[in-house]
């Protein structure tokens, strides 16, 4: 249902273009995805909001949904190395000396250009949605780099994109740690799930991971007794959406309940446009309620 992972940004000022869907469509059209040419390694651009559609901006009330796609040629390093070493050997036989470093780089570039037309391509989509009432931009990416690539494309497409990562006012590890010690989260809709990661404040990269674990077990108590902080935890929201939250406020491994996924089953799946419209409204509606609950748990939005 659209998002499996989320990195959320907030607008620092209103953008008129985000309420003018027709103009936004025109701007994104100028940066549509182009096919990879024979010598292209990668192409990046906007594609229709859903398969079978010809529009790139899918409105949902005052919100909207768009989709970016990267297509790239697959050239395994082992193949490049094999071809390059053959050329290095030929160079040495011809010139009576091994190629210099700069010459090796040139030969390698020539090998890549020769292999590109025969390379397979793969595509990956990144979904983006805007929640107008909150001014939040939702990017369905797993890493800051992937999210940054998409927001850079959007900024290039519309001319300006004043955003900052959405962060809560309170420390995520401290709040989750104190909540786990207390046995529950201070929220009527959020509960702990079955996994968590712990780390010491002075060793954030040295993590102890617990999966499919009762978070009230003795093993977890040992972590807390040794002053380890919760740096990632599995959370459940309203028995509808389950996810992992880490200390960067990245929302990962999103799973939707069967009841939520079945909610629009009265709509014929062959009616792609109507089903997509209904599912989009449903998912954006859920996140428009989940995110305020999550932020409230951590003291609201950090406006700094």
């Amino acid at each position: 249902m659209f998002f499996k992972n989320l990195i959320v940004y907030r607008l620092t000022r209103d953008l008129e273009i985000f309420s003018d869907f027709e103009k936004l469509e025109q701007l994104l059209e100028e940066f549509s995805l182009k096919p990879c040419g024979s010598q292209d390694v990668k192409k990046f651009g906007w594609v229709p909001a859903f398969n079978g559609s010809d529009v790139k901006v899918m409105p949902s009330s005052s919100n909207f949904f768009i989709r970016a796609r990267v297509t790239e040629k697959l050239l395994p390093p082992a193949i490049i190395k094999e071809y390059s070493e053959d050329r290095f050997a030929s160079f040495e036989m011809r010139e009576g000396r091994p190629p210099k470093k700069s010459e090796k780089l040139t030969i390698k570039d020539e090998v890549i250009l020769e292999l590109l037309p025969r390379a397979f391509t793969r595509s990956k989509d990144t979904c983006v949605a805007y929640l107008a009432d909150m001014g939040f931009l939702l990017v369905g990416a797993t890493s800051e780099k992937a999210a940054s690539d998409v927001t850079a494309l959007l900024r290039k497409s519309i001319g300006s994109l004043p955003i900052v990562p959405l962060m809560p006012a309170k420390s995520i590890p401290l709040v989750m740690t104190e909540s786990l010690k207390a046995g529950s989260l201070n929220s009527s809709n959020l509960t702990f799930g079955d996994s968590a990661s712990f780390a010491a404040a002075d060793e954030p990269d040295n993590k102890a991971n617990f999966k499919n674990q009762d978070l009230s077990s003795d093993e977890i108590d040992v972590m807390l007794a040794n002053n380890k902080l919760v740096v990632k935890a599995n959370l459940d929201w309203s028995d509808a959406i389950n996810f992992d939250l880490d200390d960067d406020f990245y929302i990962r491994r999103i799973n939707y309940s069967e009841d939520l996924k079945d909610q629009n089953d009265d709509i014929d799946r062959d009616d792609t446009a109507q089903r997509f419209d209904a599912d989009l409204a449903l998912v954006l509606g859920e996140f428009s309620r989940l995110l305020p609950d999550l932020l409230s748990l951590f003291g609201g939005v950090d406006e700094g």
Side-chain angles (χ1 to χ4, degrees), residues 5-8 141-144 166-168 170-174 176 195-197 207 209 230-235 243-253 294 298:
N5 302 277
L6 270 184
I7 295 178
V8 186
T142 57
S143 69
E144 182 182 359
L166 178 65
M167 288 296 292
K170 295 181 180 178
S171 163
I172 295 172
L174 288 179
M176 290 201 293
S195 66
S197 296
K207 295 184 176 71
N209 301 311
V230 180
V231 293
K232 182 169 70 173
N234 178 250
L235 303 178
F243 58 93
D244 288 349
L245 181 72
D246 66 18
D247 54 358
D248 290 321
F249 207 68
Y250 292 177
I251 300 171
R252 305 182 187 277
R253 296 176 63 239
L294 200 54
F298 299 104

Side-chain angles (χ1 to χ4, degrees), residues 249-266:
F249 207 68
Y250 292 177
I251 300 171
R252 305 182 187 277
R253 296 176 63 239
I254 299 170
N255 286 295
Y256 304 91
S257 70
E258 291 302 318
D259 286 345
L260 188 64
K261 289 189 286 188
D262 294 344
Q263 197 159 322
N264 290 323
D265 272 359
D266 58 320

Side-chain angles (χ1 to χ4, degrees), residues 175-184 192 215 221 223-225 227-230:
V175 170
M176 290 201 293
T177 302
E178 291 305 313
S179 298
L180 195 53
K181 287 180 179 178
S184 66
F192 281 113
L215 297 187
D221 288 342
M223 291 289 110
L224 297 174
N227 296 318
K228 296 296 193 293
L229 296 174
V230 180

Side-chain angles (χ1 to χ4, degrees), residues 98-142:
K100 300 175 183 177
K101 183 177 180 180
S102 61
E103 292 168 332
K104 284 186 174 182
L105 291 173
T106 299
I107 291 171
K108 185 177 178 180
D109 287 342
E110 291 171 351
V111 165
I112 292 173
L113 288 175
E114 180 181 318
L115 293 176
L116 275 174
R118 291 180 277 164
F120 289 105
T121 61
R122 68 176 175 186
S123 299
K124 183 177 182 180
D125 292 355
T126 302
C127 299
V128 179
Y130 178 60
L131 299 179
D133 288 346
M134 290 177 282
F136 291 169
L137 191 71
L138 281 54
V139 181
T142 57

Side-chain angles (χ1 to χ4, degrees), residues 2-3 49 56-58 63-67 127-129 276 280:
F2 305 103
F3 298 108
K56 293 181 171 58
V57 180
M58 184 69 179
N63 310 315
F64 66 79
F65 174 91
I66 54 180
R67 186 167 58 141
C127 299
V128 179
F276 185 90
L280 179 62

Side-chain angles (χ1 to χ4, degrees), residues 27-43:
L27 293 176
L28 298 193
E29 185 64 35
E30 295 180 18
F31 292 87
S32 295
L33 179 70
K34 303 296 190 297
C36 272
S38 62
Q39 299 301 317
D40 291 324
V41 177
K42 184 192 312 188
K43 286 288 188 178

Side-chain angles (χ1 to χ4, degrees), residues 17 38 51 54 61 73 77 81 85 90 99 117 120 122 132 136 145 164 167 181 217 225 234 243 245 252 274 284:
I17 189 64
S38 62
N51 295 335
D54 57 0
S61 185
K73 298 285 184 66
K81 181 180 179 181
E85 287 180 346
S90 297
F120 289 105
R122 68 176 175 186
F136 291 169
K145 171 65 167 61
V164 294
M167 288 296 292
K181 287 180 179 178
S217 66
N234 178 250
F243 58 93
L245 181 72
R252 305 182 187 277
Q274 187 179 0
L284 296 188

